[in-house]
Amino acid sequence: MDDDLIGGHLQELRRGTVVLACLSILRHPGYGYGLLEDLNRAGLAVEANTLYPLLRRLEKQGLLTSSWNTEEARPRKFYTTSRQGLELLDLLLKDWNSLHASICQLNEGTGS
Amino acid sequence: MNTLTDRYVFAALSSIPEQQRGDIDRELRASIADAVDARLDAGEPPADAENAVLAEFGDPQRLAARYADRPLYLIGPELYPDWRRILRILLLTVVPLAFVAATLVRMASDPEDPAAAFGAAISASITALVQVTFWVTLAFAVIQRTGTGRKEGLKQWTPGMLPQIQRHSGISLSDTIAAVIVLAFFIGLLLWQRVGSLFYLDGEPVLVLQEQLWNFWLPCIIVLLTLEAVFAVVVYAAGRWTYALAAVNAALALLFTVPVLWLLANERVFDWSFLSNVDWGAAAANWIGTVTAAAVAVAGLWTIVDGFRKARKTAGQAAPPQQASR
């Protein structure tokens, strides 16, 4: 099958999961580049120029809180999932699970 | 030290609102430095590392737009259909109007120069095209950016807005417009003949048509030509040729062709004095009359036959939808 075709559909499928992954990882405070690494390690390849603006948007929406850590040589902005963010994460995870169940059900008996 | 990073951050921040800059500046620099460090740890030379990281970040304009939550397009998919619809309607009305208006004004002010009138009309049409496109697009870009009616276009779409199905009857909008323009051109030519002339001898307009035609026949013919233009629009609105329309078409063509042929046969059309001025004489008068008569007859006949031919073609096509659904 055409690689572009596969890539396009995979990207489409994963687009919405970046927010879910960020809210999950940031239950423990994290900073931009570290988060980028974590996401890549988890197999969610996100571009830097997408992730950094996204973090600010989530913060503006009240889903993340942030604070500057200036104790180390390089000051970094640390983000943490807020209480509102945790509530959303809970909702998204429920939806994720029900989607997963539905998709599994749809493919029952086809084996893989 | 970090000249390239400095330039990158500067380029990205320049279009971001002032109060957000300081924070984004610090964060962006830290993120870039982290990424560069990671590459240095992997053994890349410093210059290459910085270059590669910034290349990954991509066009600073794009990054800035994402930070500021600005669209990276002029008119988005929500507004594009409305933009296209409105632009189309305006262009189809304003551009032909500009053409006709410019021709009329130019002919009235300077009847001696048909080429200049045509040039002015073309230039007015192009100006109208550019102006309309520019202002409509600007208005839509402003609507896009200010976010008014952003969700689903300017107006909620309803099934009632669906256009009627165009049956394949050969009535295209461009054909209709062309027909109306040709008729308008003829009317203009006749009116112009009244004020000036196509031909000039020693700066004096030469009357080609007999003056007494204006008492009755020419006004009739101008009314007829106008009716034919209206008829072309009616046929377009109807969307298809029917035998009834073909009959009206034939009647209009006969109303035009028969009197004109009769007038030509009775030597009541051309003012032959213009021929004596250019020293041509009676033989020329004869063939000009004959050629004109033949052209009028052929054109009339063609119009009539064409109408019935199209009507038959439409009648032979698949049944209209309301019958099919029963």
mmCIF file of all heavy atoms in Angstrom, chain B residues 2 21 53 62 69-70 101 109 111 128 141 153 165 176 185 196 255 269 276 279:
data_model
loop_
_atom_site.group_PDB
_atom_site.id
_atom_site.type_symbol
_atom_site.label_atom_id
_atom_site.label_comp_id
_atom_site.label_asym_id
_atom_site.label_seq_id
_atom_site.Cartn_x
_atom_site.Cartn_y
_atom_site.Cartn_z
ATOM 1 N N ASN B 2 24.239 32.994 20.232
ATOM 2 C CA ASN B 2 23.272 32.262 19.421
ATOM 3 C C ASN B 2 22.652 33.131 18.336
ATOM 4 O O ASN B 2 21.464 33.367 18.327
ATOM 5 C CB ASN B 2 22.141 31.735 20.304
ATOM 6 C CG ASN B 2 22.461 30.365 20.849
ATOM 7 O OD1 ASN B 2 23.180 29.615 20.203
ATOM 8 N ND2 ASN B 2 21.941 30.081 22.016
ATOM 9 N N ARG B 21 4.926 38.303 24.720
ATOM 10 C CA ARG B 21 6.239 38.062 24.134
ATOM 11 C C ARG B 21 7.269 37.538 25.122
ATOM 12 O O ARG B 21 7.923 36.530 24.872
ATOM 13 C CB ARG B 21 6.775 39.348 23.491
ATOM 14 C CG ARG B 21 6.320 39.456 22.059
ATOM 15 C CD ARG B 21 6.984 40.614 21.384
ATOM 16 N NE ARG B 21 6.077 41.171 20.385
ATOM 17 C CZ ARG B 21 6.301 42.285 19.741
ATOM 18 N NH1 ARG B 21 7.390 42.994 20.007
ATOM 19 N NH2 ARG B 21 5.456 42.710 18.858
ATOM 20 N N VAL B 53 17.957 22.031 14.430
ATOM 21 C CA VAL B 53 16.834 22.265 15.351
ATOM 22 C C VAL B 53 15.899 23.346 14.801
ATOM 23 O O VAL B 53 14.675 23.185 14.784
ATOM 24 C CB VAL B 53 17.362 22.661 16.744
ATOM 25 C CG1 VAL B 53 16.237 23.231 17.603
ATOM 26 C CG2 VAL B 53 17.989 21.455 17.422
ATOM 27 N N ARG B 62 4.812 30.663 10.697
ATOM 28 C CA ARG B 62 3.859 29.587 10.976
ATOM 29 C C ARG B 62 3.756 29.366 12.494
ATOM 30 O O ARG B 62 2.666 29.240 13.039
ATOM 31 C CB ARG B 62 4.363 28.318 10.287
ATOM 32 C CG ARG B 62 3.315 27.317 9.925
ATOM 33 C CD ARG B 62 3.974 26.163 9.213
ATOM 34 N NE ARG B 62 4.352 26.500 7.861
ATOM 35 C CZ ARG B 62 3.519 26.358 6.818
ATOM 36 N NH1 ARG B 62 2.315 25.900 7.004
ATOM 37 N NH2 ARG B 62 3.911 26.677 5.606
ATOM 38 N N ASP B 69 -2.827 31.918 17.669
ATOM 39 C CA ASP B 69 -4.090 31.316 17.266
ATOM 40 C C ASP B 69 -4.719 32.067 16.089
ATOM 41 O O ASP B 69 -5.909 32.335 16.064
ATOM 42 C CB ASP B 69 -5.068 31.294 18.453
ATOM 43 C CG ASP B 69 -5.941 30.046 18.389
ATOM 44 O OD1 ASP B 69 -5.722 29.239 17.475
ATOM 45 O OD2 ASP B 69 -6.832 29.903 19.236
ATOM 46 N N ARG B 70 -3.868 32.399 15.132
ATOM 47 C CA ARG B 70 -4.335 33.103 13.935
ATOM 48 C C ARG B 70 -4.441 32.098 12.803
ATOM 49 O O ARG B 70 -3.638 31.172 12.728
ATOM 50 C CB ARG B 70 -3.313 34.172 13.521
ATOM 51 C CG ARG B 70 -3.555 35.534 14.104
ATOM 52 C CD ARG B 70 -2.720 36.564 13.368
ATOM 53 N NE ARG B 70 -1.310 36.173 13.304
ATOM 54 C CZ ARG B 70 -0.368 36.669 14.093
ATOM 55 N NH1 ARG B 70 -0.680 37.550 15.008
ATOM 56 N NH2 ARG B 70 0.879 36.286 13.958
ATOM 57 N N ALA B 101 -21.826 50.267 -19.940
ATOM 58 C CA ALA B 101 -21.835 51.668 -19.519
ATOM 59 C C ALA B 101 -20.674 52.437 -20.142
ATOM 60 O O ALA B 101 -20.855 53.544 -20.666
ATOM 61 C CB ALA B 101 -21.772 51.754 -17.993
ATOM 62 N N SER B 109 -19.920 60.696 -25.831
ATOM 63 C CA SER B 109 -19.007 61.836 -25.735
ATOM 64 C C SER B 109 -18.117 61.952 -26.969
ATOM 65 O O SER B 109 -17.698 63.031 -27.344
ATOM 66 C CB SER B 109 -18.157 61.714 -24.463
ATOM 67 O OG SER B 109 -17.298 60.606 -24.594
ATOM 68 N N PRO B 111 -18.368 60.160 -30.519
ATOM 69 C CA PRO B 111 -18.906 59.194 -31.473
ATOM 70 C C PRO B 111 -17.981 58.931 -32.667
ATOM 71 O O PRO B 111 -18.237 58.005 -33.433
ATOM 72 C CB PRO B 111 -20.224 59.828 -31.922
ATOM 73 C CG PRO B 111 -20.128 61.246 -31.590
ATOM 74 C CD PRO B 111 -19.158 61.400 -30.470
ATOM 75 N N ALA B 128 -13.243 46.728 -13.390
ATOM 76 C CA ALA B 128 -14.359 46.247 -12.571
ATOM 77 C C ALA B 128 -14.041 44.872 -11.997
ATOM 78 O O ALA B 128 -14.267 44.609 -10.814
ATOM 79 C CB ALA B 128 -15.639 46.196 -13.404
ATOM 80 N N ALA B 141 -11.892 38.405 4.076
ATOM 81 C CA ALA B 141 -10.722 38.194 4.931
ATOM 82 C C ALA B 141 -10.943 38.869 6.282
ATOM 83 O O ALA B 141 -10.575 38.325 7.327
ATOM 84 C CB ALA B 141 -9.468 38.740 4.246
ATOM 85 N N GLY B 153 -20.418 29.496 7.707
ATOM 86 C CA GLY B 153 -20.721 30.456 6.648
ATOM 87 C C GLY B 153 -21.553 31.606 7.168
ATOM 88 O O GLY B 153 -21.869 31.692 8.349
ATOM 89 N N ILE B 165 -31.994 21.764 -10.968
ATOM 90 C CA ILE B 165 -31.084 20.959 -11.794
ATOM 91 C C ILE B 165 -31.086 21.503 -13.216
ATOM 92 O O ILE B 165 -32.136 21.734 -13.806
ATOM 93 C CB ILE B 165 -31.527 19.486 -11.793
ATOM 94 C CG1 ILE B 165 -31.337 18.892 -10.406
ATOM 95 C CG2 ILE B 165 -30.750 18.691 -12.826
ATOM 96 C CD1 ILE B 165 -31.885 17.495 -10.261
ATOM 97 N N THR B 176 -25.823 32.650 -22.962
ATOM 98 C CA THR B 176 -26.877 33.649 -22.758
ATOM 99 C C THR B 176 -26.278 35.043 -22.691
ATOM 100 O O THR B 176 -26.760 35.975 -23.345
ATOM 101 C CB THR B 176 -27.632 33.335 -21.455
ATOM 102 O OG1 THR B 176 -28.025 31.967 -21.481
ATOM 103 C CG2 THR B 176 -28.847 34.207 -21.311
ATOM 104 N N PHE B 185 -25.016 45.191 -28.460
ATOM 105 C CA PHE B 185 -24.049 45.799 -29.378
ATOM 106 C C PHE B 185 -24.760 46.315 -30.637
ATOM 107 O O PHE B 185 -24.510 47.427 -31.101
ATOM 108 C CB PHE B 185 -22.997 44.741 -29.740
ATOM 109 C CG PHE B 185 -21.951 45.232 -30.686
ATOM 110 C CD1 PHE B 185 -20.987 46.128 -30.268
ATOM 111 C CD2 PHE B 185 -21.933 44.804 -32.006
ATOM 112 C CE1 PHE B 185 -20.019 46.584 -31.140
ATOM 113 C CE2 PHE B 185 -20.973 45.253 -32.883
ATOM 114 C CZ PHE B 185 -20.011 46.150 -32.453
ATOM 115 N N GLY B 196 -23.777 59.583 -34.611
ATOM 116 C CA GLY B 196 -22.555 59.722 -35.399
ATOM 117 C C GLY B 196 -22.648 58.808 -36.587
ATOM 118 O O GLY B 196 -23.694 58.696 -37.209
ATOM 119 N N LEU B 255 -40.562 38.180 -37.143
ATOM 120 C CA LEU B 255 -40.900 39.598 -36.961
ATOM 121 C C LEU B 255 -39.728 40.500 -37.340
ATOM 122 O O LEU B 255 -39.924 41.630 -37.779
ATOM 123 C CB LEU B 255 -41.304 39.863 -35.510
ATOM 124 C CG LEU B 255 -42.776 39.619 -35.162
ATOM 125 C CD1 LEU B 255 -43.004 39.799 -33.667
ATOM 126 C CD2 LEU B 255 -43.675 40.569 -35.951
ATOM 127 N N VAL B 269 -33.571 50.912 -47.015
ATOM 128 C CA VAL B 269 -32.672 50.765 -45.875
ATOM 129 C C VAL B 269 -31.465 51.691 -45.976
ATOM 130 O O VAL B 269 -31.234 52.540 -45.133
ATOM 131 C CB VAL B 269 -32.193 49.306 -45.725
ATOM 132 C CG1 VAL B 269 -31.189 49.192 -44.592
ATOM 133 C CG2 VAL B 269 -33.374 48.389 -45.468
ATOM 134 N N SER B 276 -21.849 57.344 -53.484
ATOM 135 C CA SER B 276 -21.429 58.322 -54.494
ATOM 136 C C SER B 276 -20.246 59.133 -53.978
ATOM 137 O O SER B 276 -19.367 59.529 -54.733
ATOM 138 C CB SER B 276 -22.599 59.227 -54.870
ATOM 139 O OG SER B 276 -23.067 59.870 -53.709
ATOM 140 N N ASP B 279 -17.337 57.206 -54.626
ATOM 141 C CA ASP B 279 -17.166 56.977 -56.052
ATOM 142 C C ASP B 279 -17.306 55.503 -56.443
ATOM 143 O O ASP B 279 -16.483 54.980 -57.176
ATOM 144 C CB ASP B 279 -15.774 57.487 -56.494
ATOM 145 C CG ASP B 279 -15.891 58.177 -57.843
ATOM 146 O OD1 ASP B 279 -17.038 58.446 -58.261
ATOM 147 O OD2 ASP B 279 -14.843 58.416 -58.461
#
